[in-house]
Amino acid sequence: MLVTILLAIVVFSIAKAVIGAMYRNRAIPLFFLDAWQDGWRYAAASARLRKPMAEAAASRRSMVFMGKQIRGRLVWMSWHQWTETHTVRVHRNDRWEDKEETVTFNSTEFFVALPAGTPDVAVTSRTALGGRLRPVRGLGTGDPDFDRAFHVHPQDDPAALGLLSAPLRHAMLAGTLSTWWRIEGAALVLTYNYEGGPGLAGLDSVNSTATTASMMAAVLDQEGASSGVPPGLLDESRMLSAPGYDSPHPMRPVTAKQRARLQHLKRLSEAFVALRIFMIFAWIVCFVLTAWLYR
């Protein structure tokens, strides 16, 4: 029984890997097509972009850099993907050997330009224990609930702390706005680590986060420095109508049958993950029972 279950785990693992690869190969091009039809436009690095956006677009890790007007603001999305190889020691055939493991990482960032002169600041969540042991770090915002829940960098800059207005603090505490964000180079930056990247997370998730970024920029504009330029419609907005500005991805029509097949592949992949977890659990139970019976 133990051998049979172990073989089943191997079979399900192989099946999951094959079906998962088939799903990725179809889902990511479909994501790009849906994004294009939804109003997202792709771009390369440009001197007209703010520094954080330009660096993200020019990175060798960049999978795509695209922008869309949302609630009157231009929101940029950058998807980076890269692999790292690590050497680990494994024990095999009564000896230790070096084995290389390759891991793929994905990082997705959303950017919104803010008025010039907006100070740099970063906000991260605090642990409940940390909030109890040290209710306020640095100067604090004067809001005890917020100071216990969030960590602001830098801690001693009144201008940076001044950006955290009451509406923004209340929205973050309520969970309606992002709880991890930063302002760098007069640009709001939200970082998300979608499993498999935004191409697998889907367009709905990307649009939801982009809308959150636009809403946060609207609140921050009220406290930021005035530049005399409409917020979120700075020089970067010209990129949307620049000559030769087109999608680098093939725009092939997708039928309803192909979309249904893609969803079927996704459900199959998820089913094989669940079956593999169940088989691993069953193997552990059988192993424990066997050891108990023959003790």
Side-chain angles (χ1 to χ4, degrees):
M1 184 180 293
L2 288 172
V3 173
T4 302
I5 294 176
L6 188 60
L7 289 174
I9 293 172
V10 173
V11 171
F12 287 138
S13 298
I14 295 173
K16 192 271 174 189
V18 172
I19 293 174
M22 293 171 63
Y23 173 72
R24 286 192 298 273
N25 291 339
R26 289 164 173 79
I28 293 177
L30 181 59
F31 167 80
F32 287 130
L33 172 60
D34 288 344
W36 179 262
Q37 293 175 342
D38 192 55
W40 288 93
R41 293 294 178 264
Y42 308 98
S46 169
R48 286 180 291 179
L49 289 169
R50 294 280 177 89
K51 183 179 178 181
M53 293 85 135
E55 290 177 348
S59 173
R60 291 182 297 176
R61 297 176 172 181
S62 179
M63 291 285 289
V64 68
F65 184 79
M66 59 186 187
K68 179 184 178 183
Q69 291 282 359
I70 299 178
R71 294 174 174 255
R73 284 174 166 76
L74 180 56
V75 181
W76 293 105
M77 190 207 78
S78 172
W79 173 17
H80 285 181
Q81 187 179 82
W82 70 97
T83 58
E84 294 182 5
T85 302
H86 306 277
T87 301
V88 296
R89 298 281 289 175
V90 295
H91 192 262
R92 183 183 303 165
N93 298 327
D94 296 329
R95 63 175 182 173
W96 289 95
E97 299 177 356
D98 290 337
K99 179 183 177 182
E100 288 190 346
E101 290 186 350
T102 301
V103 182
T104 300
F105 296 92
N106 292 277
S107 178
T108 307
E109 290 187 319
F110 294 82
F111 304 90
V112 186
L114 297 173
T118 304
D120 289 355
V121 62
V123 180
T124 58
S125 298
R126 297 185 63 188
T127 63
L129 179 60
R132 291 193 187 97
L133 295 177
R134 191 175 179 183
V136 180
R137 297 179 67 114
L139 296 178
T141 62
D143 184 337
D145 292 335
F146 183 87
D147 291 335
R148 281 194 296 267
F150 297 100
H151 189 188
V152 183
H153 298 274
Q155 303 174 19
D156 55 355
D157 186 350
L161 292 172
L163 291 173
L164 298 167
S165 61
L168 179 59
R169 296 197 307 270
H170 295 161
M172 290 177 63
L173 285 170
T176 56
L177 291 182
S178 177
T179 57
W180 287 68
W181 55 272
R182 73 182 190 273
I183 296 174
E184 178 185 347
L188 172 66
V189 187
L190 272 63
T191 302
Y192 281 75
N193 295 317
Y194 298 113
E195 185 177 355
L200 297 185
L203 186 60
D204 289 343
S205 296
V206 168
N207 280 334
S208 176
T209 307
T211 300
T212 298
S214 180
M215 293 168 59
M216 290 193 67
V219 177
L220 288 164
D221 280 340
Q222 298 174 5
E223 302 295 330
S226 174
S227 62
V229 181
L233 295 176
L234 306 174
D235 291 342
E236 293 92 341
S237 62
R238 302 176 197 169
M239 297 284 292
L240 293 178
S241 58
Y245 192 70
D246 202 355
S247 168
H249 306 283
M251 296 291 106
R252 294 190 296 269
V254 179
T255 65
K257 186 176 181 180
Q258 288 173 318
R259 289 182 182 274
R261 190 178 303 159
L262 183 66
Q263 291 301 315
H264 183 61
L265 283 173
K266 183 179 181 181
R267 287 192 293 269
L268 273 177
S269 179
E270 292 170 348
F272 276 113
V273 172
L275 284 171
R276 184 173 60 176
I277 293 173
F278 173 76
M279 286 297 175
I280 292 173
F281 177 75
W283 188 89
I284 294 173
V285 171
C286 289
F287 180 83
V288 172
L289 287 175
T290 302
W292 180 76
L293 288 171
Y294 289 94
R295 70 186 188 280

